[in-house]
Amino acid sequence: MTIEDVIKKSILPLAFMVFWFWMTKTIMKVSGQTDWFWWIFIAGLPFGIHKMRLILIPRGMDTTATLGMAALSVIIGALIGSIMIPVYVIRAIYVFIRYVIGK
């Protein structure tokens, strides 16, 4: 394992996560307090949308049904992402520790 692999698989994903969590926490402040439900929901979006592998868009239906199914896809993706965040963090730490022990 090279340092490039560690940077790609460990340092950059963790740096993106820290930046994304900071940004969403700043956005989700209401009256000086963070709304934790919405923060976890929004924080999970970039980590769960691509895990869905399918975006539900009905065929032959009106605009309301199409927008409703697109919104449902975003909600499901955000929930999957909020579950996948600890998996990504553990994987990044594992790659970093494996590199340190391997040297």
Side-chain angles (χ1 to χ4, degrees), residues 31-74:
S31 302
Q33 294 183 349
T34 303
D35 187 3
W36 292 105
F37 173 76
W38 284 108
W39 180 74
I40 290 172
F41 184 79
I42 299 296
L45 270 175
F47 305 107
I49 290 292
H50 72 281
K51 287 288 184 191
M52 283 182 51
R53 306 260 192 255
L54 173 68
I55 294 179
L56 306 169
I57 297 179
R59 190 173 203 176
M61 304 206 57
D62 59 342
T63 306
T64 307
T66 303
L67 288 175
M69 291 304 284
L72 180 65
S73 296
V74 169

Side-chain angles (χ1 to χ4, degrees), residues 39 46 57 85 96-97:
W39 180 74
I57 297 179
I85 289 170
F96 185 74
I97 290 174

Side-chain angles (χ1 to χ4, degrees), residues 22-36:
W22 170 78
M23 189 173 68
T24 55
K25 188 173 180 182
T26 304
I27 292 170
M28 289 293 118
K29 282 204 183 222
V30 178
S31 302
Q33 294 183 349
T34 303
D35 187 3
W36 292 105

Side-chain angles (χ1 to χ4, degrees), residues 1 5-6 9-11 14 86-102:
M1 180 177 294
D5 293 334
V6 173
K9 295 179 181 178
S10 180
I11 296 171
L14 285 177
V87 173
Y88 288 133
V89 170
I90 291 170
R91 186 176 67 184
I93 292 171
Y94 170 74
V95 167
F96 185 74
I97 290 174
R98 199 171 98 193
Y99 176 74
V100 169
I101 291 174

